[in-house]
Amino acid sequence: MTDWPRHRAPFTRVSGDRNRVVARTRIGPVGFDDPMDVVAWSPPHRCRLEKRGRVVRGWAEIEVASAAGGGAVVVWRESLRVLGVPGVADPLVAWVGRRVFGRQVDVLLAGPRRP
């Protein structure tokens, strides 16, 4: 879950280490960085990020636990505020986040891409 370069969303690339992560989103000539500080790091079970960008603020937390019968359960929680988006749009922002990050978890759990 913390293999940052494998995190990919449309128009977004992620880089980072155990201290800082930056998601760079770009559509044509318009783009912004979403810098995040890693404020809790307990591999392989928990990582908490504080979003400190000019466009996106909030936090994200990833937890991994053993599942009964083998495998793992991944819980990704996130709270975002997007600059210029009124609070009334929070349900829409949350819905988009669930779709994007749910897909991201599926991609990461599928394992490395094969050439």
Side-chain angles (χ1 to χ4, degrees):
M1 291 291 108
T2 57
D3 182 354
W4 306 122
R6 286 193 57 230
H7 285 244
R8 295 191 179 262
F11 314 108
T12 303
R13 296 298 173 258
V14 181
S15 62
D17 56 33
R18 78 169 302 276
N19 298 306
R20 188 145 175 95
V21 177
V22 177
R24 175 76 177 152
T25 299
R26 176 176 224 80
I27 299 174
V30 178
F32 68 92
D33 287 338
D34 177 10
M36 296 165 260
D37 292 331
V38 178
V39 297
W41 180 264
S42 302
H45 303 290
R46 182 172 178 258
C47 179
R48 182 176 172 93
L49 306 157
E50 295 287 338
K51 297 174 167 286
R52 305 198 191 277
R54 291 181 305 177
V55 177
V56 181
R57 294 286 180 126
W59 57 268
E61 192 167 82
I62 305 164
E63 291 183 345
V64 180
S66 296
V73 174
V74 176
V75 177
W76 183 314
R77 289 184 292 275
E78 188 157 40
S79 176
L80 308 172
R81 291 295 307 149
V82 180
L83 179 72
V85 176
V88 70
D90 284 351
L92 176 60
V93 170
W95 180 83
V96 170
R98 281 190 304 276
R99 300 279 299 172
V100 168
F101 298 116
R103 174 145 167 62
Q104 183 60 62
V105 168
D106 291 343
V107 167
L108 291 167
L109 290 176
R113 285 192 214 173
R114 307 257 182 234

